[in-house]
Amino acid sequence: MRHARRRIVRRVTRLAAVGGLLLGGAMVTQAAMASESSGTAALPFSSTQGAPGTGASLVSELGTARTAGTWLNAQGRTVVAVTDAGAAARVKAAGAQPKMVSHSMNELKAATSTLRAAPRVPGTAWVMDYTTNQVVVQADTTVSASDWAGMSKVASGIGSYVRMERTKGTFTTRLNGAQPILSTGGRCSAGFNVTNGTTDFILTAGHCGPTGSTWFADNQGNQQLGQTVQSNFPGNDFSLVQYASGSAGQGADIVAIGNGNGVRITGVGDPAVGERVFRSGSTSGLHDGQVKGLDATVNYPEGTVTGLIETNVCAEPGDSGGPMFSEGIALGVTSGGSGDCTTGGTTFFQPVTKAMQALGVQLIVSSQAAAQQGASPSSAPSASATHSAIAPGSTSPGSTAPSTGVAGETLLARLTNPRNIGPGMLVIGGSLIALVATRWFRAEKDRNEYRRYYSATWG
């Protein structure tokens, strides 16, 4: 009877130890998988153009002959420039603030068309300043006195609402952000991860490299990221780098901001003048500033790029292609500008919405973000007003998350992370000790019984 009880105890102990091993293994696997994001989904192009009550919707409703742009004031309120009392009343009824101006958007666009038709002068740029109802023409330090005089003559022929300004530094592409990507042509920054539904890509600046450029994640050229499969520069400034593996991997909805941290991207849209925005790059890290103008034209040494976003956010060589965002909304990729992050400067961005439409791709966001906006790869989400409906001073980059690099953290890395596997390993260790102890006690009992038997039979 005693032997039977001992066998039962031993069996129960062994079964408990085996169960502990299985439980510990499950805990380790679950913890490792829990460190993954909950998956990603494709978010098609969207913008605030059609959002009721926004400045963009009012401008669209009233037309370019009766309006001259929209922006956010210091309190975050929408302001719409209008040319007649009727338009002002409509803007006021919609809850926005009207501002009477002398020149319509049609006149401002006609002025930029005249400037574009003039002989091209590298080192110049122009943008419509909605707040002053003027077209501002800028010239950097490389523009000669004779070229400046020629541009001034063209401007004076248009009218007094064209303002000429000299700027410090030079207008250059920021080649040489997010994560660094390297090729024989130089160093750039990864922008946003996008997909065509089958293959994933990095959306970055077009001037970073022509079609066929091969990109790496390290200086030694051992970690190949992918290859540029489509590039548009000059004219526009965007390109697609196809991942060598075909997949963006873990953390595809996160852009790096330095020190192992990142911001989760939840949507895509167009910025408003006056909005506070953030830019990340592999050279200078995270910086913020304000949108100063839209539909800007820049005459880089390599060629002219139009339709850009002008900001006072700084950028440096190597930041090209890096992401610009606000409240987790993807807005642009870094094109170029003047100055640096010590003295400040002007930086221009390629709008993400325009690039996505031209390339036929969709932004990769977290599954939760896509679900919240009712998005699927074939259905457009509701327009997000988050990033343009709050006071510029209180705007944030978006929700933070750990940055796992361009290709993301591997399963092996998660399984070897003590923070993930600690509790499960404790259970596994305890179970192994119980198994070994049970086996040792059993072996020791067998040895003692053998000694007693030997002594009894041989005297």
Side-chain angles (χ1 to χ4, degrees):
M1 196 67 186
R2 183 182 304 170
H3 295 296
R5 285 197 300 269
R6 287 175 179 174
R7 283 196 298 271
I8 292 173
V9 171
R10 286 197 299 269
R11 287 172 183 174
V12 170
T13 303
R14 282 197 296 270
L15 287 173
V18 172
L21 285 173
L22 294 174
L23 176 62
M27 291 175 64
V28 169
T29 304
Q30 184 179 14
M33 295 306 177
S35 65
E36 297 185 28
S37 67
S38 57
T40 58
L43 187 68
F45 160 78
S46 68
S47 95
T48 55
Q49 181 66 32
T54 65
S57 68
L58 290 169
V59 166
S60 178
E61 174 189 336
L62 296 170
T64 53
R66 304 177 68 192
T67 61
T70 178
W71 64 93
L72 299 176
N73 62 17
Q75 291 72 42
R77 187 179 181 187
T78 298
V79 181
V80 180
V82 295
T83 58
D84 62 71
R90 174 68 188 93
V91 170
K92 192 171 184 179
Q97 177 181 329
K99 180 180 179 181
M100 293 293 294
V101 296
S102 302
H103 305 286
S104 69
M105 179 61 72
N106 289 345
E107 292 177 272
L108 297 180
K109 287 185 175 180
T112 60
S113 297
T114 302
L115 291 167
R116 193 172 295 120
R120 178 178 177 275
V121 179
T124 59
W126 53 82
V127 66
M128 289 177 280
D129 185 348
Y130 299 156
T131 61
T132 62
N133 196 225
Q134 293 178 317
V135 175
V136 181
V137 180
Q138 302 174 62
D140 66 21
T141 55
T142 66
V143 177
S144 66
S146 60
D147 284 338
W148 176 251
M151 290 289 291
S152 298
K153 185 177 180 180
V154 173
S156 62
I158 298 172
S160 59
Y161 61 97
V162 179
R163 187 171 83 243
M164 302 291 289
E165 289 182 353
R166 278 282 193 175
T167 185
K168 296 179 180 179
T170 59
F171 291 131
T172 60
T173 53
R174 304 281 90 172
L175 179 63
N176 247 14
Q179 298 288 340
I181 54 177
L182 305 101
S183 75
T184 55
R187 178 165 65 90
C188 273
S189 298
F192 299 99
N193 284 309
V194 296
T195 183
N196 62 7
T198 304
T199 306
D200 296 347
F201 309 85
I202 298 171
L203 176 64
T204 189
H207 71 263
C208 286
T211 300
S213 300
T214 301
W215 295 94
F216 301 89
D218 64 319
N219 291 318
Q220 292 73 36
N222 295 324
Q223 302 177 38
Q224 182 176 337
L225 286 174
Q227 193 171 65
T228 301
V229 293
Q230 195 168 346
S231 180
N232 193 321
F233 177 82
N236 296 297
D237 197 0
F238 55 77
S239 65
L240 280 181
V241 176
Q242 181 176 327
Y243 279 101
S245 64
S247 173
Q250 189 62 35
D253 59 331
I254 296 172
V255 295
I257 59 175
N259 298 320
N261 297 317
V263 168
R264 178 161 280 114
I265 299 302
T266 59
V268 58
D270 294 312
V273 174
E275 180 182 354
R276 185 186 182 201
V277 293
F278 299 80
R279 176 205 58 75
S280 182
S282 60
T283 298
S284 57
L286 183 69
H287 292 273
D288 70 299
Q290 280 191 322
V291 175
K292 307 301 291 184
L294 305 174
D295 198 22
T297 296
V298 185
N299 293 301
Y300 294 123
E302 301 92 336
T304 300
V305 180
T306 62
L308 298 177
I309 304 164
E310 181 185 351
T311 75
N312 60 6
V313 186
C314 71
E316 297 183 356
D319 289 333
S320 278
M324 180 179 75
F325 47 91
S326 181
E327 293 293 324
I329 303 297
L331 301 173
V333 293
T334 306
S335 174
S338 63
D340 54 39
C341 291
T342 300
T343 60
T346 297
T347 303
F348 300 95
F349 297 84
Q350 166 69 52
V352 169
T353 53
K354 183 179 178 182
M356 285 175 57
Q357 281 186 317
L359 295 167
V361 295
Q362 302 167 342
L363 187 73
I364 296 177
V365 298
S366 65
S367 296
Q368 297 99 319
Q372 287 171 4
Q373 298 189 51
S376 68
S378 60
S379 63
S382 58
S384 171
T386 304
H387 65 290
S388 59
I390 59 179
S394 63
T395 307
S396 69
S399 62
T400 58
S403 171
T404 57
V406 176
E409 187 183 24
T410 64
L411 177 60
L412 178 62
R414 292 192 297 272
L415 287 173
T416 54
N417 188 337
R419 291 176 299 178
N420 296 330
I421 66 174
M425 289 302 294
L426 285 175
V427 174
I428 291 174
S431 301
L432 286 173
I433 291 172
L435 275 176
V436 171
T438 303
R439 183 62 181 169
W440 185 86
F441 285 128
R442 172 62 182 174
E444 185 65 19
K445 182 177 181 297
D446 289 342
R447 282 194 294 268
N448 291 335
E449 288 181 350
Y450 178 77
R451 291 192 190 102
R452 286 194 296 270
Y453 172 79
Y454 184 87
S455 299
T457 55
W458 289 91

